[in-house]
Amino acid sequence: VQLQASGGGLVQAGDSLRLSCKSSGRSFNLFVMGWFRQAPGKEREFVAGVSRGGGGTVYEDSVKGRFTISRDNAKNTVYLQMNSLKPEDTAVYYCAADRAIMTAPVTTDASEYDYWGQGTQVTVSS
């Protein structure tokens, strides 16, 4: 499974961006998908995750109400819509796939994810 993230860029505070992550592998619908981010000098942190069918989502507290994760299994793609961006959202954003058992919930633990994309830079200026 290869994950290709895109959509990052340089924006101003209050702007929006939509990140995309396309999987090249088969059986995309069997993976729980997540977005993580890593700012300079900080550890990688969970941002959002979505269940296999798209009906279940989990968000990190600081992005609730601003970010929306979704997926299109027909296109093997997961999205992260980011609104009302803040300078503290500046980071490299990574998508990841969790090959979990069917009954497993969306996890926020990066060590549970099996495949990672290359990252896309998001920079928010004040």
Side-chain angles (χ1 to χ4, degrees):
V1 174
Q2 290 187 326
L3 302 175
Q4 181 70 41
S6 62
L10 171 63
V11 298
Q12 293 186 331
D15 286 349
S16 298
L17 277 175
R18 188 175 82 153
L19 305 184
S20 299
C21 174
K22 185 171 178 62
S23 171
S24 63
R26 297 187 295 178
S27 303
F28 177 74
N29 61 317
L30 297 183
F31 290 91
V32 168
M33 297 300 297
W35 285 97
F36 292 77
R37 65 186 179 188
Q38 187 166 19
K42 295 187 177 181
E43 293 186 353
R44 188 172 299 189
E45 66 172 355
F46 174 82
V47 176
V50 62
S51 61
R52 294 168 188 79
T57 57
V58 177
Y59 295 95
E60 192 268 332
D61 286 346
S62 69
V63 308
K64 285 180 181 177
R66 300 188 298 122
F67 290 12
T68 302
I69 188 170
S70 62
R71 65 190 296 163
D72 185 337
N73 286 343
K75 296 182 178 180
N76 284 9
T77 302
V78 61
Y79 306 97
L80 185 67
Q81 177 66 44
M82 305 186 295
N83 299 329
S84 302
L85 282 161
K86 304 176 180 181
E88 50 263 44
D89 295 318
T90 295
V92 177
Y93 283 71
Y94 300 89
C95 60
D98 175 12
R99 188 182 53 196
I101 61 175
M102 292 302 293
T103 56
V106 176
T107 178
T108 64
D109 184 353
S111 68
E112 296 291 329
Y113 286 79
D114 303 288
Y115 304 99
W116 292 82
Q118 86 289 1
T120 184
Q121 176 71 47
V122 172
T123 303
V124 185
S125 63
S126 57

